[in-house]
Amino acid sequence: MIVVGGGLIGSAIAWRLAGAGRTVRMVVGEPGAAASRVAAGMLAPVTEISFTEQALLPLNLASLGRYETFAAEVAEASGLPTGLSRTPTISVAYDADDLARLTTLKEFLDRIGLKAERLVSRDARRLEPLLSPQVRGGLLVDADWSIDNRLLWAAIGAAGRRAGVAEVDGFVHHVRRSGTQVSGVTLADGTELDAAVVVVACGAWAGQLTGIDPLPVRPVKGQILRLDPRGLPQPSQTVRAITQGSEVYVVPRAGGREVVVGATVEEKGFDRGVTADGVYELLRDARRVLPMTAEYALAETTVGWRPGSPDNAPILGPGELDGLVLATGHYRNGVLLTPVTADAISAYVLTGELPEEARAFTLERFATSHPTPPSPPSPASSPPSSPTASPPTSSPPAPETVQL
Ligand code: GLY
């Protein structure tokens, strides 16, 4: 079988399936561009919740509930650290209007049964002494953690290689078929790979695959910064803030190595530019609530693309062809949803049954009519021959990452 995409989601699926005895080739895509590298690594089902994306909450909570075991398993299988941090998240408001917004959020969280402790300014600063005295109040959210996504990604990749995953350099642009059965993929350089099962896990690029109906996945640009504290004090937990209507998050890494500040949310397709305005606003907002960040060195500016779907929830399970499996559209929650996605997709490939928790997230929810669903991947089937392919296109440009 082939896994298209070597980010966190693709690597975790490939690792699980290789561990179950499958022969897995993973086409890694453009690793420098993967959201898995760019992301801040928040595991935040509570503070990332949006009023319109409530249907996603059970899946997000299920995945967080698996994270400790998942990270321990990855560390054990790879011999590498994953950088899981179980310190809580503090979400703060900068001015009176921001506090009104945070209060609305708190009321929403109460209504749907999510725990967040209200903090007056003094208590927030006692918990996080680097917070500005200007901060008007906040929420303490025990359930929102973080992980060093770059460490985790490296560890899952190593675990996969140990389990036998074969990594293929290249960028898949075309899905090949034989009748109603998937038969493999074509890479941008024209290389054809045969497989009876193809798992699409290429994030924001899933919507560009040819040979199948276009998947409803769009790139949502995010600019993000990495700061080097240079030995200065750094926040002891993730700080999210609403500052004069704009939102920012500041995620420290253990050991004072780096502080991640993110992120813009821009519907600009695969625009790759780091802009002065994007960097300015992130630094301004971080400094408003954590003045110390102004003293840090600007170490890296990066652009990434979240895979957005029409409801910004993932697309999991059967695609339009027999043997075509989808694991994309994770939007703002790809790092968080990695364990539950890997479990659900590997179970689907191995048994033909999508676990209950993932059933609300199939592609079918976007269909206006309901054609006969394709059969699940067959454990015994072999790749059909005589595939056809469109001419290859070139792989996408790498995003701008500037090491400063
Ligand atoms: N999950 C954080 C972001 O998408 O910016």
Side-chain angles (χ1 to χ4, degrees):
M1 58 170 292
I2 288 172
V3 175
V4 179
L8 277 170
I9 301 281
S11 303
I13 293 168
W15 170 51
R16 285 277 189 244
L17 287 168
R22 286 303 192 93
T23 301
V24 182
R25 284 178 292 177
M26 181 174 75
V27 186
V28 297
E30 174 56 65
S36 304
R37 175 176 172 275
V38 177
M42 287 181 299
L43 306 176
V46 178
T47 53
E48 278 279 302
I49 195 157
S50 116
F51 296 103
T52 55
E53 293 164 16
Q54 215 178 313
L56 187 54
L57 184 62
L59 194 69
N60 284 346
L61 291 173
S63 206
L64 185 73
R66 287 176 206 185
Y67 235 103
E68 277 184 281
T69 310
F70 176 76
E73 224 184 314
V74 171
E76 166 82 25
S78 65
L80 293 171
T82 62
L84 177 65
S85 162
R86 278 159 293 185
T87 53
T89 291
I90 188 165
S91 197
V92 299
Y94 181 71
D95 68 16
D97 287 344
D98 300 328
L99 191 59
R101 249 180 83 180
L102 207 62
T103 302
T104 308
L105 174 66
K106 166 73 173 135
E107 287 162 3
F108 174 62
L109 296 177
D110 287 346
R111 273 202 305 280
I112 61 175
L114 289 176
K115 205 166 150 272
E117 185 188 335
R118 202 186 276 267
L119 302 169
V120 296
S121 176
R122 193 181 52 250
D123 290 340
R125 280 184 289 124
R126 193 174 297 131
L127 277 171
E128 183 47 76
L130 294 185
L131 281 173
S132 160
Q134 300 274 332
V135 161
R136 300 292 286 260
L139 299 176
L140 180 65
V141 180
D142 285 329
D144 282 4
W145 302 341
S146 69
I147 195 159
D148 185 329
N149 42 295
R150 291 183 179 178
L151 288 183
L152 177 68
W153 189 21
I156 297 176
R161 285 188 292 277
R162 281 187 178 181
V165 174
E167 294 181 359
V168 178
D169 287 333
F171 194 86
V172 172
H173 85 102
H174 184 76
V175 176
R176 290 159 47 228
R177 67 167 74 207
S178 177
T180 59
Q181 164 72 45
V182 76
S183 62
V185 297
T186 307
L187 308 191
D189 67 2
T191 304
E192 293 189 345
L193 304 176
D194 294 338
V197 176
V198 171
V199 180
V200 173
C202 52
W205 289 274
Q208 298 198 321
L209 291 170
T210 60
I212 52 175
D213 287 342
L215 291 169
V217 176
R218 69 190 195 287
V220 182
K221 178 183 173 186
Q223 301 186 50
I224 193 164
L225 315 175
R226 280 171 162 78
L227 308 181
D228 176 355
R230 300 185 300 165
L232 292 167
Q234 65 167 45
S236 52
Q237 61 220 299
T238 296
V239 176
R240 301 184 72 119
I242 312 172
T243 79
Q244 301 194 325
S246 112
E247 292 185 34
V248 70
Y249 50 79
V250 178
V251 185
R253 298 285 185 231
R257 280 181 295 118
E258 102 186 343
V259 172
V260 186
V261 178
T264 66
V265 181
E266 303 169 66
E267 296 282 358
K268 288 189 181 160
F270 281 106
D271 179 75
R272 57 193 287 275
V274 173
T275 63
D277 202 39
V279 174
Y280 162 72
E281 286 182 9
L282 292 171
L283 291 176
R284 177 200 64 197
D285 294 349
R287 186 174 69 168
R288 274 188 189 143
V289 289
L290 290 162
M292 178 65 78
T293 55
E295 306 293 327
Y296 300 164
L298 179 56
E300 188 188 302
T301 62
T302 319
V303 166
W305 299 283
R306 308 167 182 90
S309 74
D311 58 8
N312 289 329
I315 303 172
L316 305 175
E320 72 183 66
L321 300 173
D322 296 343
L324 182 66
V325 181
L326 307 176
T328 182
H330 292 77
Y331 191 46
R332 295 182 70 111
N333 294 297
V335 183
L336 171 62
L337 288 172
T338 295
V340 81
T341 301
D343 289 350
I345 298 302
S346 53
Y348 178 63
V349 170
L350 295 169
T351 68
E353 289 284 322
L354 196 60
E356 173 63 34
E357 66 217 359
R359 286 190 200 148
F361 300 100
T362 62
L363 180 64
E364 213 190 3
R365 73 188 187 275
F366 302 122
T368 45
S369 61
H370 295 277
T372 314
S375 6
S378 154
S381 55
S382 56
S385 54
S386 310
T388 53
S390 306
T393 56
S394 59
S395 58
E400 255 170 38
T401 290
V402 186
Q403 278 326 130
L404 297 147

